[in-house]
Amino acid sequence: MTFTLDQFRLDGKVAVVTGAGGRGNSIGRAYALGLAGAGASVVVADLNLEGAQAVAQEITSAGGKAVAVEVNVADEASTLAMGHAAIEAFGGVDVLVNNAALMVDISYDNCETVSLDAWNRAFSVNLNGALLCARAVIPSMRERGGGRIVNQTSGGAFPAIGLYGISKLALVGLTTTLAKQLGRDGITCNAIAPGNVTSDAGKLLVPDDSPFIRFLEMTCATKARGEPDELVGALLLLCSPAGQWITGQTVHVDGGWVMRP
């Protein structure tokens, strides 16, 4: 088969993006707009329904197809309702992007002192949420002959030095496991590990004057920080026919911060 740029298109596909209701400069919004731009119908899912509606409106105003769905990814009934809403709106699900996560609102205490409640809360969203959302849409993917799952991990998991990084490294384990278990069904599962992104949440966690930025400037092969839109190319590769032979992988999009053989 001769390769063409059409293999990056997602016309006729349905994509669910969790944590996509962030207003302003957010990764979830960039993902939703990017998938819509490639031709997918997008389910903009977020705990913040108003934010999800705003992003869905952006897509439809530009001529795309989108619906907003309220979801709590840590609640199984809520994720199942999200899956049903996607099927009702567009007939099924082909792509799931597990972007919803706790990052700013998470404990950064060390393992010796972090409360068990804070620990469990982080894992309930950052790991369990991805599992529950996958379970909610896998049956539809099977019925449609395959699908794509993309989990949002983090450069901060390599190595993990705190609760956030630990939860994101665990998500890499879920990624490889789902890739192995679902591959024969035509479902791939990969992860994207962003570096430091100048999203609103990213800048809140790591301000422009943070010493960590100076560290990244000395460490990264290219630039230390990226925009949310700079993650979309990797996402489209993993979600489109162009990436159908890629599974179980973590793609680092970080200016050469984390380099693994």
Side-chain angles (χ1 to χ4, degrees):
M1 180 177 66
T2 302
F3 176 81
T4 69
L5 290 177
D6 287 342
Q7 291 178 48
F8 285 95
R9 294 292 303 174
L10 292 168
D11 301 287
K13 301 297 184 181
V14 180
V16 176
V17 185
T18 67
R23 295 182 174 182
N25 199 28
S26 75
I27 294 175
R29 172 180 170 273
Y31 281 167
L33 294 177
L35 291 165
S41 300
V42 181
V43 177
V44 182
D46 203 285
L47 187 62
N48 174 9
L49 180 58
E50 185 179 353
Q53 290 171 332
V55 174
Q57 181 61 48
E58 266 193 274
I59 293 171
T60 57
S61 295
K65 296 180 180 179
V67 295
V69 175
E70 183 177 2
V71 65
N72 175 1
V73 300
D75 180 80
E76 184 175 24
S78 184
T79 59
L80 290 172
M82 176 191 71
H84 290 317
I87 293 169
E88 289 180 5
F90 298 121
V93 178
D94 304 288
V95 173
L96 169 66
V97 183
N98 279 314
N99 173 69
L102 295 177
M103 183 177 73
V104 177
D105 187 19
I106 196 172
S107 174
Y108 283 87
D109 291 342
N110 62 42
C111 290
E112 184 180 5
T113 59
V114 65
S115 72
L116 189 57
D117 285 345
W119 180 278
N120 290 338
R121 179 170 178 263
F123 273 85
S124 71
V125 176
N126 293 3
L127 180 65
N128 299 357
L131 174 63
L132 292 176
C133 289
R135 286 180 174 179
V137 302
I138 286 169
S140 179
M141 289 182 176
R142 283 199 180 104
E143 289 177 3
R144 291 163 75 86
R148 305 282 185 267
I149 299 172
V150 179
N151 295 325
Q152 182 92 323
T153 181
S154 170
F158 304 92
I161 56 173
L163 176 54
Y164 177 73
I166 294 169
S167 69
K168 288 297 190 176
L169 188 57
L171 185 58
V172 175
L174 178 63
T175 299
T176 56
T177 298
L178 289 177
K180 191 68 173 179
Q181 294 178 353
L182 300 175
R184 298 299 182 184
D185 294 319
I187 301 171
T188 66
C189 186
N190 294 286
I192 293 176
N196 189 260
V197 178
T198 57
S199 62
D200 292 345
K203 293 186 77 170
L204 183 62
L205 184 64
V206 185
D208 292 338
D209 60 354
S210 168
F212 184 61
I213 300 300
R214 306 288 83 77
F215 165 77
L216 288 177
E217 289 172 346
M218 293 185 294
T219 303
C220 291
T222 60
K223 62 179 182 176
R225 311 182 86 178
E227 293 288 335
D229 286 344
E230 293 180 271
L231 301 170
V232 174
L235 178 71
L236 293 182
L237 169 62
L238 297 176
C239 292
S240 69
Q244 64 183 353
W245 206 35
I246 304 171
T247 196
Q249 305 303 310
T250 297
V251 179
H252 292 268
V253 187
D254 60 9
W257 171 28
V258 177
M259 294 188 182
R260 300 194 299 160

